[in-house]
Structures are given as structure tokens and as C-alpha cells.
PDB file of all heavy atoms in Angstrom:
ATOM      1  N   THR Z   9       0.796  -1.233   0.000  1.00 97.00           N
ATOM      2  CA  THR Z   9       0.000   0.000   0.000  1.00 97.00           C
ATOM      3  C   THR Z   9       0.828   1.284   0.000  1.00 97.00           C
ATOM      4  O   THR Z   9       0.787   2.058  -0.968  1.00 97.00           O
ATOM      5  CB  THR Z   9      -0.982   0.051   1.185  1.00 97.00           C
ATOM      6  OG1 THR Z   9      -1.688  -1.191   1.272  1.00 97.00           O
ATOM      7  CG2 THR Z   9      -1.959   1.200   1.016  1.00 97.00           C
ATOM      8  N   LEU Z  10       1.590   1.535   1.068  1.00 98.00           N
ATOM      9  CA  LEU Z  10       2.269   2.823   1.199  1.00 98.00           C
ATOM     10  C   LEU Z  10       3.433   2.712   2.175  1.00 98.00           C
ATOM     11  O   LEU Z  10       3.538   1.755   2.944  1.00 98.00           O
ATOM     12  CB  LEU Z  10       1.280   3.902   1.678  1.00 98.00           C
ATOM     13  CG  LEU Z  10       0.606   3.690   3.041  1.00 98.00           C
ATOM     14  CD1 LEU Z  10       1.424   4.291   4.199  1.00 98.00           C
ATOM     15  CD2 LEU Z  10      -0.795   4.289   3.050  1.00 98.00           C
ATOM     16  N   VAL Z  11       4.285   3.730   2.114  1.00 98.00           N
ATOM     17  CA  VAL Z  11       5.332   3.903   3.116  1.00 98.00           C
ATOM     18  C   VAL Z  11       4.966   5.135   3.935  1.00 98.00           C
ATOM     19  O   VAL Z  11       4.730   6.214   3.378  1.00 98.00           O
ATOM     20  CB  VAL Z  11       6.718   4.081   2.473  1.00 98.00           C
ATOM     21  CG1 VAL Z  11       7.768   4.362   3.549  1.00 98.00           C
ATOM     22  CG2 VAL Z  11       7.097   2.840   1.666  1.00 98.00           C
ATOM     23  N   HIS Z  12       4.896   4.950   5.244  1.00 98.00           N
ATOM     24  CA  HIS Z  12       4.551   6.035   6.167  1.00 98.00           C
ATOM     25  C   HIS Z  12       5.839   6.509   6.849  1.00 98.00           C
ATOM     26  O   HIS Z  12       6.526   5.712   7.499  1.00 98.00           O
ATOM     27  CB  HIS Z  12       3.547   5.531   7.204  1.00 98.00           C
ATOM     28  CG  HIS Z  12       3.168   6.534   8.246  1.00 98.00           C
ATOM     29  ND1 HIS Z  12       2.346   7.604   7.985  1.00 98.00           N
ATOM     30  CD2 HIS Z  12       3.510   6.631   9.560  1.00 98.00           C
ATOM     31  CE1 HIS Z  12       2.188   8.318   9.086  1.00 98.00           C
ATOM     32  NE2 HIS Z  12       2.890   7.747  10.057  1.00 98.00           N
ATOM     33  N   VAL Z  13       6.161   7.785   6.691  1.00 98.00           N
ATOM     34  CA  VAL Z  13       7.380   8.348   7.281  1.00 98.00           C
ATOM     35  C   VAL Z  13       6.971   9.353   8.351  1.00 98.00           C
ATOM     36  O   VAL Z  13       6.413  10.410   8.040  1.00 98.00           O
ATOM     37  CB  VAL Z  13       8.256   9.038   6.214  1.00 98.00           C
ATOM     38  CG1 VAL Z  13       9.558   9.528   6.844  1.00 98.00           C
ATOM     39  CG2 VAL Z  13       8.553   8.083   5.059  1.00 98.00           C
ATOM     40  N   PRO Z  14       7.219   9.051   9.621  1.00 97.00           N
ATOM     41  CA  PRO Z  14       6.814   9.967  10.694  1.00 97.00           C
ATOM     42  C   PRO Z  14       7.871  11.027  10.978  1.00 97.00           C
ATOM     43  O   PRO Z  14       9.066  10.809  10.811  1.00 97.00           O
ATOM     44  CB  PRO Z  14       6.663   9.029  11.896  1.00 97.00           C
ATOM     45  CG  PRO Z  14       7.696   7.958  11.646  1.00 97.00           C
ATOM     46  CD  PRO Z  14       7.773   7.782  10.142  1.00 97.00           C
ATOM     47  N   ARG Z  15       7.422  12.195  11.391  1.00 97.00           N
ATOM     48  CA  ARG Z  15       8.266  13.247  11.951  1.00 97.00           C
ATOM     49  C   ARG Z  15       9.437  13.642  11.047  1.00 97.00           C
ATOM     50  O   ARG Z  15      10.605  13.595  11.450  1.00 97.00           O
ATOM     51  CB  ARG Z  15       8.788  12.830  13.319  1.00 97.00           C
ATOM     52  CG  ARG Z  15       7.724  12.742  14.402  1.00 97.00           C
ATOM     53  CD  ARG Z  15       8.380  12.553  15.780  1.00 97.00           C
ATOM     54  NE  ARG Z  15       7.403  12.560  16.844  1.00 97.00           N
ATOM     55  CZ  ARG Z  15       6.786  11.480  17.321  1.00 97.00           C
ATOM     56  NH1 ARG Z  15       7.080  10.296  16.799  1.00 97.00           N
ATOM     57  NH2 ARG Z  15       5.918  11.576  18.288  1.00 97.00           N
ATOM     58  N   LEU Z  16       9.124  14.075   9.843  1.00 98.00           N
ATOM     59  CA  LEU Z  16      10.130  14.713   8.993  1.00 98.00           C
ATOM     60  C   LEU Z  16      10.081  16.217   9.227  1.00 98.00           C
ATOM     61  O   LEU Z  16       9.004  16.782   9.462  1.00 98.00           O
ATOM     62  CB  LEU Z  16       9.849  14.437   7.511  1.00 98.00           C
ATOM     63  CG  LEU Z  16      10.242  13.084   6.934  1.00 98.00           C
ATOM     64  CD1 LEU Z  16       9.881  13.042   5.452  1.00 98.00           C
ATOM     65  CD2 LEU Z  16      11.728  12.807   7.119  1.00 98.00           C
ATOM     66  N   THR Z  17      11.224  16.865   9.147  1.00 98.00           N
ATOM     67  CA  THR Z  17      11.248  18.321   9.239  1.00 98.00           C
ATOM     68  C   THR Z  17      10.567  18.920   8.019  1.00 98.00           C
ATOM     69  O   THR Z  17      10.984  18.678   6.890  1.00 98.00           O
ATOM     70  CB  THR Z  17      12.687  18.840   9.326  1.00 98.00           C
ATOM     71  OG1 THR Z  17      13.351  18.203  10.421  1.00 98.00           O
ATOM     72  CG2 THR Z  17      12.710  20.352   9.532  1.00 98.00           C
ATOM     73  N   GLU Z  18       9.502  19.669   8.238  1.00 97.00           N
ATOM     74  CA  GLU Z  18       8.758  20.251   7.122  1.00 97.00           C
ATOM     75  C   GLU Z  18       9.650  21.198   6.324  1.00 97.00           C
ATOM     76  O   GLU Z  18      10.288  22.102   6.875  1.00 97.00           O
ATOM     77  CB  GLU Z  18       7.532  21.011   7.629  1.00 97.00           C
ATOM     78  CG  GLU Z  18       6.654  21.549   6.514  1.00 97.00           C
ATOM     79  CD  GLU Z  18       5.429  22.262   7.040  1.00 97.00           C
ATOM     80  OE1 GLU Z  18       5.586  23.096   7.969  1.00 97.00           O
ATOM     81  OE2 GLU Z  18       4.319  21.993   6.551  1.00 97.00           O
ATOM     82  N   GLY Z  19       9.714  20.973   5.016  1.00 97.00           N
ATOM     83  CA  GLY Z  19      10.507  21.832   4.149  1.00 97.00           C
ATOM     84  C   GLY Z  19      11.990  21.565   4.196  1.00 97.00           C
ATOM     85  O   GLY Z  19      12.765  22.263   3.531  1.00 97.00           O
ATOM     86  N   GLY Z  20      12.419  20.553   4.966  1.00 98.00           N
ATOM     87  CA  GLY Z  20      13.834  20.211   5.028  1.00 98.00           C
ATOM     88  C   GLY Z  20      14.262  19.439   3.787  1.00 98.00           C
ATOM     89  O   GLY Z  20      13.434  19.049   2.953  1.00 98.00           O
ATOM     90  N   PRO Z  21      15.563  19.200   3.631  1.00 98.00           N
ATOM     91  CA  PRO Z  21      16.055  18.501   2.438  1.00 98.00           C
ATOM     92  C   PRO Z  21      15.399  17.150   2.204  1.00 98.00           C
ATOM     93  O   PRO Z  21      15.089  16.795   1.064  1.00 98.00           O
ATOM     94  CB  PRO Z  21      17.558  18.350   2.713  1.00 98.00           C
ATOM     95  CG  PRO Z  21      17.890  19.439   3.669  1.00 98.00           C
ATOM     96  CD  PRO Z  21      16.664  19.625   4.511  1.00 98.00           C
ATOM     97  N   LEU Z  22      15.135  16.391   3.269  1.00 98.00           N
ATOM     98  CA  LEU Z  22      14.547  15.062   3.097  1.00 98.00           C
ATOM     99  C   LEU Z  22      13.070  15.149   2.712  1.00 98.00           C
ATOM    100  O   LEU Z  22      12.595  14.370   1.878  1.00 98.00           O
ATOM    101  CB  LEU Z  22      14.724  14.242   4.372  1.00 98.00           C
ATOM    102  CG  LEU Z  22      16.155  13.786   4.641  1.00 98.00           C
ATOM    103  CD1 LEU Z  22      16.295  13.262   6.057  1.00 98.00           C
ATOM    104  CD2 LEU Z  22      16.581  12.719   3.638  1.00 98.00           C
ATOM    105  N   HIS Z  23      12.348  16.082   3.301  1.00 98.00           N
ATOM    106  CA  HIS Z  23      10.949  16.250   2.940  1.00 98.00           C
ATOM    107  C   HIS Z  23      10.818  16.735   1.494  1.00 98.00           C
ATOM    108  O   HIS Z  23      10.022  16.199   0.714  1.00 98.00           O
ATOM    109  CB  HIS Z  23      10.279  17.242   3.890  1.00 98.00           C
ATOM    110  CG  HIS Z  23       8.832  17.472   3.606  1.00 98.00           C
ATOM    111  ND1 HIS Z  23       8.201  18.670   3.848  1.00 98.00           N
ATOM    112  CD2 HIS Z  23       7.877  16.652   3.072  1.00 98.00           C
ATOM    113  CE1 HIS Z  23       6.934  18.590   3.477  1.00 98.00           C
ATOM    114  NE2 HIS Z  23       6.712  17.380   3.021  1.00 98.00           N
ATOM    115  N   ARG Z  24      11.607  17.735   1.115  1.00 98.00           N
ATOM    116  CA  ARG Z  24      11.535  18.240  -0.257  1.00 98.00           C
ATOM    117  C   ARG Z  24      11.880  17.147  -1.264  1.00 98.00           C
ATOM    118  O   ARG Z  24      11.226  17.015  -2.305  1.00 98.00           O
ATOM    119  CB  ARG Z  24      12.483  19.431  -0.431  1.00 98.00           C
ATOM    120  CG  ARG Z  24      12.117  20.658   0.395  1.00 98.00           C
ATOM    121  CD  ARG Z  24      12.834  21.885  -0.120  1.00 98.00           C
ATOM    122  NE  ARG Z  24      14.274  21.697  -0.197  1.00 98.00           N
ATOM    123  CZ  ARG Z  24      15.122  21.981   0.773  1.00 98.00           C
ATOM    124  NH1 ARG Z  24      14.666  22.452   1.934  1.00 98.00           N
ATOM    125  NH2 ARG Z  24      16.422  21.800   0.633  1.00 98.00           N
ATOM    126  N   ALA Z  25      12.906  16.374  -0.959  1.00 98.00           N
ATOM    127  CA  ALA Z  25      13.309  15.302  -1.876  1.00 98.00           C
ATOM    128  C   ALA Z  25      12.225  14.239  -1.985  1.00 98.00           C
ATOM    129  O   ALA Z  25      11.962  13.713  -3.071  1.00 98.00           O
ATOM    130  CB  ALA Z  25      14.624  14.674  -1.408  1.00 98.00           C
ATOM    131  N   LEU Z  26      11.568  13.922  -0.872  1.00 98.00           N
ATOM    132  CA  LEU Z  26      10.517  12.918  -0.889  1.00 98.00           C
ATOM    133  C   LEU Z  26       9.335  13.381  -1.737  1.00 98.00           C
ATOM    134  O   LEU Z  26       8.736  12.593  -2.490  1.00 98.00           O
ATOM    135  CB  LEU Z  26      10.065  12.615   0.538  1.00 98.00           C
ATOM    136  CG  LEU Z  26       9.081  11.460   0.735  1.00 98.00           C
ATOM    137  CD1 LEU Z  26       9.602  10.171   0.142  1.00 98.00           C
ATOM    138  CD2 LEU Z  26       8.758  11.286   2.218  1.00 98.00           C
ATOM    139  N   VAL Z  27       8.996  14.659  -1.638  1.00 97.00           N
ATOM    140  CA  VAL Z  27       7.926  15.217  -2.467  1.00 97.00           C
ATOM    141  C   VAL Z  27       8.283  15.078  -3.947  1.00 97.00           C
ATOM    142  O   VAL Z  27       7.454  14.666  -4.774  1.00 97.00           O
ATOM    143  CB  VAL Z  27       7.674  16.692  -2.100  1.00 97.00           C
ATOM    144  CG1 VAL Z  27       6.757  17.364  -3.118  1.00 97.00           C
ATOM    145  CG2 VAL Z  27       7.067  16.796  -0.700  1.00 97.00           C
ATOM    146  N   ASP Z  28       9.524  15.400  -4.306  1.00 97.00           N
ATOM    147  CA  ASP Z  28       9.950  15.314  -5.702  1.00 97.00           C
ATOM    148  C   ASP Z  28       9.949  13.870  -6.205  1.00 97.00           C
ATOM    149  O   ASP Z  28       9.512  13.587  -7.323  1.00 97.00           O
ATOM    150  CB  ASP Z  28      11.350  15.913  -5.862  1.00 97.00           C
ATOM    151  CG  ASP Z  28      11.365  17.426  -5.704  1.00 97.00           C
ATOM    152  OD1 ASP Z  28      10.281  18.040  -5.784  1.00 97.00           O
ATOM    153  OD2 ASP Z  28      12.458  17.990  -5.488  1.00 97.00           O
ATOM    154  N   VAL Z  29      10.435  12.962  -5.394  1.00 97.00           N
ATOM    155  CA  VAL Z  29      10.500  11.560  -5.805  1.00 97.00           C
ATOM    156  C   VAL Z  29       9.094  10.979  -5.969  1.00 97.00           C
ATOM    157  O   VAL Z  29       8.810  10.265  -6.941  1.00 97.00           O
ATOM    158  CB  VAL Z  29      11.317  10.735  -4.789  1.00 97.00           C
ATOM    159  CG1 VAL Z  29      11.172   9.243  -5.062  1.00 97.00           C
ATOM    160  CG2 VAL Z  29      12.782  11.136  -4.848  1.00 97.00           C
ATOM    161  N   ALA Z  30       8.196  11.292  -5.047  1.00 97.00           N
ATOM    162  CA  ALA Z  30       6.824  10.805  -5.165  1.00 97.00           C
ATOM    163  C   ALA Z  30       6.189  11.303  -6.460  1.00 97.00           C
ATOM    164  O   ALA Z  30       5.480  10.556  -7.154  1.00 97.00           O
ATOM    165  CB  ALA Z  30       5.997  11.248  -3.958  1.00 97.00           C
ATOM    166  N   ARG Z  31       6.459  12.550  -6.802  1.00 97.00           N
ATOM    167  CA  ARG Z  31       5.913  13.109  -8.043  1.00 97.00           C
ATOM    168  C   ARG Z  31       6.496  12.405  -9.263  1.00 97.00           C
ATOM    169  O   ARG Z  31       5.774  12.080 -10.210  1.00 97.00           O
ATOM    170  CB  ARG Z  31       6.199  14.607  -8.096  1.00 97.00           C
ATOM    171  CG  ARG Z  31       5.560  15.315  -9.295  1.00 97.00           C
ATOM    172  CD  ARG Z  31       5.911  16.788  -9.328  1.00 97.00           C
ATOM    173  NE  ARG Z  31       5.472  17.458  -8.112  1.00 97.00           N
ATOM    174  CZ  ARG Z  31       6.293  18.047  -7.245  1.00 97.00           C
ATOM    175  NH1 ARG Z  31       7.602  18.014  -7.445  1.00 97.00           N
ATOM    176  NH2 ARG Z  31       5.817  18.651  -6.183  1.00 97.00           N
ATOM    177  N   MET Z  32       7.785  12.147  -9.250  1.00 96.00           N
ATOM    178  CA  MET Z  32       8.414  11.460 -10.373  1.00 96.00           C
ATOM    179  C   MET Z  32       7.895  10.033 -10.524  1.00 96.00           C
ATOM    180  O   MET Z  32       7.903   9.480 -11.628  1.00 96.00           O
ATOM    181  CB  MET Z  32       9.932  11.431 -10.180  1.00 96.00           C
ATOM    182  CG  MET Z  32      10.615  12.796 -10.277  1.00 96.00           C
ATOM    183  SD  MET Z  32      10.561  13.486 -11.938  1.00 96.00           S
ATOM    184  CE  MET Z  32      11.633  12.353 -12.802  1.00 96.00           C
ATOM    185  N   ARG Z  33       7.422   9.450  -9.427  1.00 96.00           N
ATOM    186  CA  ARG Z  33       6.858   8.094  -9.466  1.00 96.00           C
ATOM    187  C   ARG Z  33       5.383   8.102  -9.872  1.00 96.00           C
ATOM    188  O   ARG Z  33       4.745   7.073  -9.915  1.00 96.00           O
ATOM    189  CB  ARG Z  33       6.999   7.439  -8.088  1.00 96.00           C
ATOM    190  CG  ARG Z  33       8.412   7.020  -7.754  1.00 96.00           C
ATOM    191  CD  ARG Z  33       8.583   6.708  -6.262  1.00 96.00           C
ATOM    192  NE  ARG Z  33       7.566   5.807  -5.737  1.00 96.00           N
ATOM    193  CZ  ARG Z  33       7.657   4.481  -5.727  1.00 96.00           C
ATOM    194  NH1 ARG Z  33       8.751   3.886  -6.227  1.00 96.00           N
ATOM    195  NH2 ARG Z  33       6.699   3.725  -5.218  1.00 96.00           N
ATOM    196  N   GLY Z  34       4.848   9.279 -10.133  1.00 95.00           N
ATOM    197  CA  GLY Z  34       3.463   9.377 -10.554  1.00 95.00           C
ATOM    198  C   GLY Z  34       2.475   9.466  -9.416  1.00 95.00           C
ATOM    199  O   GLY Z  34       1.267   9.294  -9.625  1.00 95.00           O
ATOM    200  N   GLY Z  35       2.941   9.757  -8.205  1.00 94.00           N
ATOM    201  CA  GLY Z  35       2.056   9.892  -7.056  1.00 94.00           C
ATOM    202  C   GLY Z  35       2.309  11.206  -6.344  1.00 94.00           C
ATOM    203  O   GLY Z  35       2.757  12.178  -6.946  1.00 94.00           O
ATOM    204  N   ARG Z  36       2.041  11.214  -5.072  1.00 94.00           N
ATOM    205  CA  ARG Z  36       2.318  12.413  -4.284  1.00 94.00           C
ATOM    206  C   ARG Z  36       2.642  12.016  -2.848  1.00 94.00           C
ATOM    207  O   ARG Z  36       2.230  10.942  -2.370  1.00 94.00           O
ATOM    208  CB  ARG Z  36       1.141  13.385  -4.307  1.00 94.00           C
ATOM    209  CG  ARG Z  36      -0.145  12.856  -3.726  1.00 94.00           C
ATOM    210  CD  ARG Z  36      -1.180  13.981  -3.625  1.00 94.00           C
ATOM    211  NE  ARG Z  36      -0.806  14.946  -2.595  1.00 94.00           N
ATOM    212  CZ  ARG Z  36      -1.301  16.176  -2.540  1.00 94.00           C
ATOM    213  NH1 ARG Z  36      -2.148  16.590  -3.453  1.00 94.00           N
ATOM    214  NH2 ARG Z  36      -0.943  16.996  -1.565  1.00 94.00           N
ATOM    215  N   ALA Z  37       3.409  12.883  -2.201  1.00 96.00           N
ATOM    216  CA  ALA Z  37       3.707  12.697  -0.790  1.00 96.00           C
ATOM    217  C   ALA Z  37       2.622  13.413   0.009  1.00 96.00           C
ATOM    218  O   ALA Z  37       2.562  14.645   0.024  1.00 96.00           O
ATOM    219  CB  ALA Z  37       5.095  13.262  -0.458  1.00 96.00           C
ATOM    220  N   GLU Z  38       1.772  12.637   0.637  1.00 96.00           N
ATOM    221  CA  GLU Z  38       0.600  13.167   1.323  1.00 96.00           C
ATOM    222  C   GLU Z  38       0.916  13.430   2.791  1.00 96.00           C
ATOM    223  O   GLU Z  38       1.267  12.517   3.550  1.00 96.00           O
ATOM    224  CB  GLU Z  38      -0.547  12.165   1.226  1.00 96.00           C
ATOM    225  CG  GLU Z  38      -1.840  12.600   1.867  1.00 96.00           C
ATOM    226  CD  GLU Z  38      -2.613  13.605   1.021  1.00 96.00           C
ATOM    227  OE1 GLU Z  38      -2.259  13.782  -0.163  1.00 96.00           O
ATOM    228  OE2 GLU Z  38      -3.577  14.191   1.555  1.00 96.00           O
ATOM    229  N   VAL Z  39       0.840  14.695   3.201  1.00 96.00           N
ATOM    230  CA  VAL Z  39       1.030  15.041   4.609  1.00 96.00           C
ATOM    231  C   VAL Z  39      -0.251  14.699   5.355  1.00 96.00           C
ATOM    232  O   VAL Z  39      -1.323  15.242   5.061  1.00 96.00           O
ATOM    233  CB  VAL Z  39       1.368  16.534   4.782  1.00 96.00           C
ATOM    234  CG1 VAL Z  39       1.397  16.902   6.264  1.00 96.00           C
ATOM    235  CG2 VAL Z  39       2.717  16.849   4.135  1.00 96.00           C
ATOM    236  N   VAL Z  40      -0.145  13.778   6.314  1.00 94.00           N
ATOM    237  CA  VAL Z  40      -1.333  13.327   7.040  1.00 94.00           C
ATOM    238  C   VAL Z  40      -1.399  13.882   8.459  1.00 94.00           C
ATOM    239  O   VAL Z  40      -2.417  13.738   9.133  1.00 94.00           O
ATOM    240  CB  VAL Z  40      -1.407  11.782   7.081  1.00 94.00           C
ATOM    241  CG1 VAL Z  40      -1.574  11.231   5.671  1.00 94.00           C
ATOM    242  CG2 VAL Z  40      -0.169  11.177   7.738  1.00 94.00           C
ATOM    243  N   HIS Z  41      -0.318  14.506   8.901  1.00 94.00           N
ATOM    244  CA  HIS Z  41      -0.323  15.124  10.233  1.00 94.00           C
ATOM    245  C   HIS Z  41       0.809  16.139  10.283  1.00 94.00           C
ATOM    246  O   HIS Z  41       1.846  15.967   9.641  1.00 94.00           O
ATOM    247  CB  HIS Z  41      -0.152  14.067  11.325  1.00 94.00           C
ATOM    248  CG  HIS Z  41      -0.298  14.608  12.717  1.00 94.00           C
ATOM    249  ND1 HIS Z  41      -1.425  15.252  13.153  1.00 94.00           N
ATOM    250  CD2 HIS Z  41       0.552  14.594  13.779  1.00 94.00           C
ATOM    251  CE1 HIS Z  41      -1.272  15.611  14.417  1.00 94.00           C
ATOM    252  NE2 HIS Z  41      -0.073  15.221  14.825  1.00 94.00           N
TER     253      HIS Z  41
END
């Protein structure tokens, strides 16, 4: 189903990269909390 990543720094290098990678995979990184 999905990979859930807890407690990333919002707007940090890892969060930004995850957003970009999810988009390149045809999906999106959904902030749930």
C-alpha cells in the first residue's frame, strides 16, 4: 500500500526530496499530520 514516514522536518532537504520523488513516481507525498 504505502510507506509512512513519521516526523520529517517540514521543508527540510529530506521532505523536499521525498515530495519530488513521489511526483516522479506518478504519485504524491501526502502530509497526514
Side-chain angles (χ1 to χ4, degrees):
T9 312
L10 61 89
V11 176
H12 177 73
V13 184
R15 292 190 176 91
L16 281 181
T17 305
E18 185 178 47
L22 288 167
H23 181 211
R24 295 196 306 269
L26 187 55
V27 169
D28 289 343
V29 169
R31 185 182 301 117
M32 292 292 292
R33 286 165 50 89
R36 62 172 290 161
E38 181 77 12
V39 173
V40 296
H41 186 58

